[in-house]
């Protein structure tokens, strides 16, 4: 008996050891990712990283790109632009990626751009600064709602509500600065910016700036920052007895901001991708299903709020996956780049992407809605 | 809004900020007085005060007052741990204090990074809040309005200063603490336990720092890196008022806070930090030991 | 010139050998980039080492001077079209003048006043980098800074820049070695030992300290100049307070009693984050821990540690009656 079973077990053992190689998948597409998961802006970099990871996993779960899985190699750039460039070099030359996504902070993306253009690797930046895609550079794309788009949405809402006198309070980072520029370039003459005051994104006291806005009698205030300041400013505003609408950046379309803003939350308005109000969308909206599915997957995978930050990262991977599928195997950076420029009607979380050689962002005006906070949740603002 | 009302708003905001800076400066003073070390992890005590209370309140659902009473000893203990684990071992006896001090300061910087990194892992990267102590209805004063929490902040800060000042000047332990930094050898001869002084100063500064964190979190929220800027500005406040001087810490704190808000309101909000640090430079140029400090000692 | 005369330079020869041979084995841009940064950070740290080791003073504003060096050259080359090599002396001059004023105002006082002053100055410079938008590009940054060229060869690859940086670093080490072994250097060490006594010997501490401080600022601005024309983009976030702390950390960890400490510190603290990267969110905490541990146990820094090690080795050989190593 023994003579029979022992070789059988040995064969079984060998089979078990060797079996994984039977399910050997095809070679992966190497995609590089970087964001600021630590350091300044860490609260954004982490979820963006998670979004990229989820995007790759979802694509792989659906069979990859014609059987080839995506392998995401991610490094944290710590909020330092020099490190971001270093990481880009590491990813391109050591990890041999064929495409890069990331740069949660605009400054980090901007630092990487010169290198990535020289290295001729496609780059989808997650930053929102207009300067990333304007002027258009050959290899660099950005799938964020730009400040230009967001401020445009705000202006439209202001005109609709007859708002004429505005106080603009941007933070002193590239993000705030860029938004102010966009707002000033796009606003009609009927809107006057009476007060323009900046603040530090780590400040805790905003009474002086708000007092000036209140004293000038503005009809609305625009606040441009992400981070605790956005909530604290609303608390300060309530303490000053201000009742005008406060327009924020699309970056603030996350539950924690209104939740921490106390009574001030009711004054908040923000342009946003459709994710937070997905349930209110009409069933005919092609984004509705994508958003609900995304939200479900993200929450179950990461046990945290599925916000636009994660969606951002996921979209970037989806854009690559679609382009890579069209470009075929073996992975060719130039072919992938060309295919990205042919992206049409790709339903993502941020919106429906239509990328062209002159528009490396791909998001249209209607990818955003105006939201407010009502009875403890986000809602569409009329 | 009348100009006087605007001005009053700026002043109130300045006093609020000033209280926080004063608390941090107070912490620096106490440690400096006892050990000649500039503890750059001071801001982190404020951060921990806020975050530990948030943990006790939000996760364990303890009543707010109990959270506060439990948090302060916890953070004080962390302060003692820091002193025992990092300052004491590096303090090689016999070496010239001045040379060692630089290393000790660097160590506190390392400790502050460690604490920040730890807080990031434990509490995440998002800001968190606490409920206000006495509601959110704005207080009105001569047409200016402000957050009632501010009264708690300013009130308790002043109370802490009075208590600590009394402690340092009228109790044996306090006087021993002041004596031990001037000359360690003499102090030991007098029977003062240097180790105890060092630990006590860290414990005290951690306790007061954490109280500060608890006071401001309902207004300003707290996150793992909330201590960074506070540590820096608190240090400046200390220098402005007179480093090592307890009353100076308060004066420096309020001066810095008012400069910041009045600067933001009356001159330019973009440059408000520059105004504050420029004041620091002017003080260093004309009265380096600070507003209430002793005369500067010139080298030979 | 015999072996004796070349002796103080032995470190430089070793470094020359290492940096010359490395590119033969290391090809990836990523690693060359790392070594370029080590070079630049060594210059920054060297200034602080001299300041601390020979004048006993701490500067908390090194990043500010780093930034002035970078922005002055960046602005002159981008906005005024001036040749970078002409912008360099202007950069260094402006930085040195600023440093002179700061030193002059505070170095006659006993205590850490220079530290406090440099803290304020560094932060004010950073605010200016952010707010003077028309000059510096503000928070968005200054783009399209030209690369350097030498005799028609454009230094736009990592390897070419690596060669430039390390030639400069070696040259600076050569100069500093001379300085340290000269009358001036001995004067500075005397001040470190005992100020009052050195004063009696005719060494004026005040003058020397200002000179060292200006030198440290000049080295910082040189490094800033190199940075601007390497990355071709300037963002104010690279010149904020946390970097001043980083450079000071490199100084102390590397060891402030030897100029080579600057190199050791810069090397360790540039490579360490790369190793820690795999720990993701844990790396901040580990960094702090490493710092504290190194400072507690090696309070003379790495240079002190190496010194200790070489003496220990020498002792062992002496016991065995072997040949003495080194001097």
């Amino acid at each position: 008996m023994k003579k029979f079973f022992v070789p059988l077990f040995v064969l079984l053992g060998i089979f078990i050891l060797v079996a994984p190689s039977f399910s050997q998948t095809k070679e992966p597409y190497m995609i590089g990712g970087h964001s600021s998961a630590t350091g300044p802006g860490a609260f954004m970099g982490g979820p963006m990283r998670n979004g990229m990871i989820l995007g790759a996993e979802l694509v792989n779960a659906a069979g990859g790109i014609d059987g080839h899985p995506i392998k995401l190699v991610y490094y944290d750039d710590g909020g330092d632009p020099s490190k971001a460039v270093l990481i880009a070099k590491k990813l391109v030359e050591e990890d041999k990626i064929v495409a890069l996504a990331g740069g949660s902070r605009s400054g980090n993306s901007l630092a990487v751009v010169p290198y990535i253009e020289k290295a001729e690797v496609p780059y989808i930046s997650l930053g929102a600064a207009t300067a990333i895609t304007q002027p258009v550079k050959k290899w660099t794309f950005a799938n964020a709602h730009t400040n230009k788009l967001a401020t445009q949405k705000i202006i439209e809402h202001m005109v609709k509500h007859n708002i004429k006198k505005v106080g603009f309070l941007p933070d002193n980072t590239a993000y705030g600065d860029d938004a102010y520029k966009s707002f000033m370039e796009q606003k009609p003459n009927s809107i006057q910016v009476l007060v323009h005051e900046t603040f530090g994104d780590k400040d805790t006291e905003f009474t002086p700036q708000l007092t000036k806005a209140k004293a000038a009698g503005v009809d609305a205030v625009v606040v441009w920052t992400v981070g605790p300041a956005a909530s604290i400013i609303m608390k300060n505003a309530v303490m000053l007895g201000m009742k005008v609408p406060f327009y924020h950046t699309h970056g603030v379309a996350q539950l924690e901001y209104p939740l921490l803003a106390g009574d001030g939350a009711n004054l908040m308005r923000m342009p946003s991708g459709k994710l937070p109000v997905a349930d209110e969308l009409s069933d005919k909206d092609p984004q509705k299903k994508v958003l609900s599915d995304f939200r479900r997957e993200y929450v179950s995978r990461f046990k945290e709020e599925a916000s636009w930050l994660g969606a951002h990262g996921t979209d970037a991977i989806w854009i690559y996956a679609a382009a890579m599928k069209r470009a075929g195997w073996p992975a060719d950076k130039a072919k992938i780049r060309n295919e990205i420029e042919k992206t049409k009607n790709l339903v993502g979380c941020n919106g429906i992407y239509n990328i062209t050689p002159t528009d490396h962002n791909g998001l249209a005006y209607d990818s955003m809605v105006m939201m407010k906070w009502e009875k403890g949740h986000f809602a569409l603002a009329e | 809004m009348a100009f006087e009302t605007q001005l009053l708003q700026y002043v109130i905001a300045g006093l609020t900020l000033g209280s926080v800076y004063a608390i941090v400066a107070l912490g620096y003073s106490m440690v400096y007085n006892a050990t000649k070390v500039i503890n750059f992890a001071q801001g982190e005590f404020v951060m921990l005060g806020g975050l530990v209370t948030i943990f006790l309140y939000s996760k364990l659902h303890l009543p707010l007052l109990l959270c506060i009473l439990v948090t302060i000893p916890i953070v004080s203990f962390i302060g003692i741990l820091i002193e025992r684990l990092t300052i004491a071992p590096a303090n090689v006896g016999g070496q010239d204090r001045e040379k060692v001090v630089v290393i000790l300061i660097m160590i506190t910087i390392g400790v502050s990074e460690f604490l920040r990194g730890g807080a990031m892992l434990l509490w995440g990267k998002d800001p968190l809040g606490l409920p206000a102590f006495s509601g959110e209805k704005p207080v009105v004063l001569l047409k200016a309005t402000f957050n009632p929490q501010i009264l708690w902040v300013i009130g308790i800060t002043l109370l802490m200063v009075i208590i600590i000042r009394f402690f340092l000047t009228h109790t044996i332990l306090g006087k021993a603490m002041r004596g031990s930094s001037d000359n360690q050898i003499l102090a030991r001869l007098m029977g003062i336990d240097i180790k105890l002084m060092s630990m006590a100063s860290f414990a005290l500064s951690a306790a007061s720092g954490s109280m500060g964190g608890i006071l401001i979190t309902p207004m300003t929220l707290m996150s793992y890196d909330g201590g960074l800027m506070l540590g820096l500005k608190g240090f400046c406040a200390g220098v402005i008022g007179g480093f090592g001087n307890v009353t100076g810490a308060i004066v420096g704190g309020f001066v810095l806070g008012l400069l910041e808000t009045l600067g933001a309101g009356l001159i330019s909000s973009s440059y408000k930090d520059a105004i504050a640090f420029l004041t620091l430079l002017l003080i260093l140029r004309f009265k380096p030991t600070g507003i209430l400090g002793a005369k500067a000692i010139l080298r030979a | 010139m015999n072996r004796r005369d070349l002796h103080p330079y032995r470190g430089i020869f070793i470094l020359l050998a290492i940096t010359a041979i490395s590119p033969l084995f290391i090809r990836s841009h990523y690693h060359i980039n790392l070594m370029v940064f080590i070079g630049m950070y060594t210059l920054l740290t060297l200034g602080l080492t001299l300041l601390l080791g020979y004048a006993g003073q701490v500067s908390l504003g090194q990043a500010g001077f780093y930034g002035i060096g970078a922005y002055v050259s960046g602005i002159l080359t981008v906005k005024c079209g001036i040749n970078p090599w002409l912008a360099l002396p202007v950069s260094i001059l402006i930085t040195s003048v600023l440093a002179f004023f700061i030193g002059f105002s505070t170095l006659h006082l006993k205590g850490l006043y220079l530290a406090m002053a440099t803290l304020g100055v560094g932060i004010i410079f950073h605010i200016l980098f952010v707010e003077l938008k028309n000059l510096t590009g503000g928070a968005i940054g200054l783009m399209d800074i030209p690369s350097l060229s030498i005799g028609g060869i454009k230094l736009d690859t990592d390897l070419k820049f690596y060669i430039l940086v390390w030639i400069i670093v070696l040259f600076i080490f050569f100069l500093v070695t001379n300085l340290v072994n000269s009358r001036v250097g001995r004067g500075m060490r005397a001040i470190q030992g005992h100020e009052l006594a050195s004063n009696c010997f005719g060494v004026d501490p005040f003058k020397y300290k200002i000179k060292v401080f200006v030198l440290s600022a000049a080295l910082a601005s040189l490094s800033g100049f190199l940075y601007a024309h390497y990355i071709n983009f300037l963002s104010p976030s690279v010149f904020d307070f946390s970097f001043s702390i980083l450079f000071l950390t490199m100084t102390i960890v590397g060891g402030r009693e030897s100029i080579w400490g600057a190199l050791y510190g810069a090397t360790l603290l540039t490579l360490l984050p790369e190793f820690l990267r795999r720990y993701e969110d844990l790396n901040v905490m580990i960094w702090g821990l490493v710092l504290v541990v190194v400072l507690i146990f090696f309070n003379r820094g790495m240079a002190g540690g190496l010194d200790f090690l070489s003496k220990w080795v020498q002792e062992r050989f002496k016991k065995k009656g072997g040949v003495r190593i080194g001097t």
Side-chain angles (χ1 to χ4, degrees), chain B residues 277-278 280-281 284, chain C residues 59-65 68 98-99 101-103 106 114-129 213 239 244:
Chain B
F277 287 105
L278 196 61
L280 172 72
L281 291 179
L284 285 174
Chain C
S59 166
L60 290 172
Q62 193 71 332
F65 296 122
I68 300 252
L98 284 165
F101 273 123
I102 298 165
T106 54
L114 182 74
M116 300 173 188
T118 48
L119 177 69
V121 164
I123 293 183
I124 290 178
F125 284 157
H126 178 249
I127 294 175
L128 290 174
F129 298 149
F213 182 56
F239 306 108
S244 289

Side-chain angles (χ1 to χ4, degrees), chain B residues 189-203:
Chain B
L189 286 173
M190 290 278 135
I192 296 176
D193 182 349
I194 303 288
K195 254 183 10 204
L196 186 62
M197 295 307 116
S198 194
M199 280 200 295
S201 70
F202 268 85

Side-chain angles (χ1 to χ4, degrees), chain A residues 36-46 49 172 196-200 202-205 207-209 211-212 214-215 227-228 231-232 235-236 238-241 254 256-257 260-263, chain B residues 1 5-6 9-10 13 16-17 120 125-130 135-139 145-148 150 218-221 223-225 229 233 260-261 264-273:
Chain A
S36 310
T38 59
F43 58 94
M44 294 203 301
R49 168 197 61 201
N172 61 4
H196 172 217
E197 296 291 325
T198 63
F199 57 86
K202 291 273 169 247
D203 282 355
T204 55
E205 222 347 289
T207 313
Q209 293 91 337
T211 305
K212 281 199 189 149
K214 184 176 176 190
S231 301
I232 305 174
K235 293 164 78 93
N236 283 177
V238 167
M239 283 302 152
L240 279 177
Q254 262 188 291
E256 64 188 24
Y257 291 103
L260 286 169
D263 288 334
Chain B
M1 200 199 254
T5 320
Q6 280 182 52
Q9 292 284 172
Y10 301 150
T16 316
L17 269 182
M120 188 175 80
K125 300 165 191 171
D126 297 316
L128 301 163
L130 280 174
E136 300 247 331
K137 197 160 174 301
V139 176
T145 55
F146 59 90
N147 193 328
I150 290 175
M219 277 197 312
T220 65
L221 311 172
S223 53
Y224 75 100
D225 60 352
M229 248 304 153
K233 294 231 178 107
E260 226 185 275
T261 54
L266 299 173
I267 306 177
S268 153
S269 53
S270 321
Y271 285 99
K272 65 171 165 52
D273 285 349

Side-chain angles (χ1 to χ4, degrees), chain C residues 105-122:
Chain C
S105 312
T106 54
L107 281 169
H108 59 295
L109 299 167
K110 182 170 146 81
L112 291 169
Y113 292 105
L114 182 74
M116 300 173 188
T118 48
L119 177 69
V121 164

Side-chain angles (χ1 to χ4, degrees), chain C residues 223-272:
Chain C
S223 194
F225 167 80
L226 291 170
Y227 177 86
H229 297 278
Y230 176 51
I231 303 278
N232 311 108
F233 169 71
L234 287 180
S235 156
S237 58
V238 180
F239 306 108
D240 70 9
F241 180 66
S242 62
F243 279 89
S244 289
I245 296 287
L246 179 66
F247 302 137
L248 190 61
T249 309
M250 290 177 179
T251 307
I252 303 215
V253 166
R256 57 199 164 137
E257 288 168 22
S258 155
I259 58 177
W260 296 103
L263 179 67
Y264 304 146
T267 306
L268 178 69
L269 294 180
T270 303
L271 295 178
L272 188 62

Side-chain angles (χ1 to χ4, degrees), chain A residues 159-199:
Chain A
V159 167
K160 188 164 160 201
H161 290 263
N162 226 346
I163 288 169
K164 299 210 167 52
K165 296 184 276 182
V166 166
F168 205 101
L169 271 45
D171 67 15
N172 61 4
T173 67
Y175 191 54
D177 204 21
D178 184 66
Y180 177 67
K181 280 207 186 93
S182 293
F183 188 83
M184 295 304 284
E185 275 166 18
Q186 298 181 109
K187 73 169 183 66
N189 291 333
S190 60
I191 296 181
Q192 271 187 299
V193 176
L194 295 180
V195 172
H196 172 217
E197 296 291 325
T198 63
F199 57 86

Side-chain angles (χ1 to χ4, degrees), chain A residues 37-38 49 74-76 80-83 86-87 89-90 93-94 107 110-111 118 172-174 177 181, chain C residues 28-31 33-34 37 130-131 133 139-140 156 158 227 230 233 237-238 243 274 277 280-281 284:
Chain A
T38 59
R49 168 197 61 201
Y74 171 86
Y75 295 124
D76 165 29
D80 176 1
S82 325
K83 283 243 168 74
L86 197 64
I87 285 175
K89 287 183 188 171
K90 185 172 182 156
E93 300 182 28
E94 309 249 305
L110 287 170
K118 217 164 30 169
N172 61 4
T173 67
D177 204 21
K181 280 207 186 93
Chain C
S28 95
H29 286 170
Y30 163 66
H31 288 111
N33 188 335
L34 267 179
F37 269 103
V130 173
E131 295 299 331
K133 300 194 176 85
I140 297 178
D156 55 358
D158 290 293
Y227 177 86
Y230 176 51
F233 169 71
S237 58
V238 180
F243 279 89
E274 300 302 307
R277 189 155 287 138
E280 289 199 349
D281 285 357
V284 181

Side-chain angles (χ1 to χ4, degrees), chain A residues 81-309:
Chain A
S82 325
K83 283 243 168 74
V85 180
L86 197 64
I87 285 175
K89 287 183 188 171
K90 185 172 182 156
L91 287 168
V92 170
E93 300 182 28
E94 309 249 305
D95 299 296
K96 304 275 189 278
I97 58 168
V98 295
L100 181 66
S104 51
R105 303 192 91 209
S106 296
N108 289 13
S109 287
L110 287 170
V112 168
V113 166
Y115 168 69
I116 217 76
E117 292 286 324
K118 217 164 30 169
E120 301 193 336
V121 175
Y123 180 36
I124 297 186
S125 160
L126 302 178
T130 321
I132 297 174
T133 46
Q134 272 172 24
V136 169
K137 302 162 203 50
K138 189 168 178 204
W139 298 85
T140 306
F141 301 82
N143 70 333
H145 293 114
T146 57
N147 283 338
K148 183 167 175 213
L149 211 59
T151 48
Q152 207 182 0
K153 201 85 193 171
I154 292 176
I155 290 171
E156 175 204 62
H157 200 256
M158 283 180 170
V159 167
K160 188 164 160 201
H161 290 263
N162 226 346
I163 288 169
K164 299 210 167 52
K165 296 184 276 182
V166 166
F168 205 101
L169 271 45
D171 67 15
N172 61 4
T173 67
Y175 191 54
D177 204 21
D178 184 66
Y180 177 67
K181 280 207 186 93
S182 293
F183 188 83
M184 295 304 284
E185 275 166 18
Q186 298 181 109
K187 73 169 183 66
N189 291 333
S190 60
I191 296 181
Q192 271 187 299
V193 176
L194 295 180
V195 172
H196 172 217
E197 296 291 325
T198 63
F199 57 86
D201 61 343
K202 291 273 169 247
D203 282 355
T204 55
E205 222 347 289
F206 306 94
T207 313
Q209 293 91 337
L210 289 170
T211 305
K212 281 199 189 149
K214 184 176 176 190
V218 297
D219 302 320
V221 177
V222 181
V223 176
W224 214 266
T225 189
V226 284
S231 301
I232 305 174
I233 247 188
M234 298 316 297
K235 293 164 78 93
N236 283 177
V238 167
M239 283 302 152
L240 279 177
M242 293 180 83
K243 296 200 173 29
V244 295
F246 274 72
Y247 290 93
H248 282 258
T249 130
H250 45 303
V252 149
Q254 262 188 291
L255 289 173
E256 64 188 24
Y257 291 103
L259 283 175
L260 286 169
D263 288 334
N266 299 322
L267 296 172
M268 293 171 85
R269 308 267 179 281
M270 69 283 291
S272 165
K274 295 180 181 168
L275 179 60
V277 291
D279 300 325
E280 275 190 66
L281 297 173
S282 128
D283 288 339
K284 289 205 210 97
D285 191 323
Q287 275 197 278
K288 185 166 181 168
K289 179 161 192 320
V290 171
L291 289 173
S292 322
D293 289 347
F294 167 77
R295 183 190 286 155
R296 197 188 55 237
E297 295 290 335
Y298 189 95
V299 171
S300 77
R301 174 78 170 79
F302 297 107
K303 313 273 184 293
E304 61 184 33
E305 181 196 353
S307 68
W308 69 274
L309 291 167

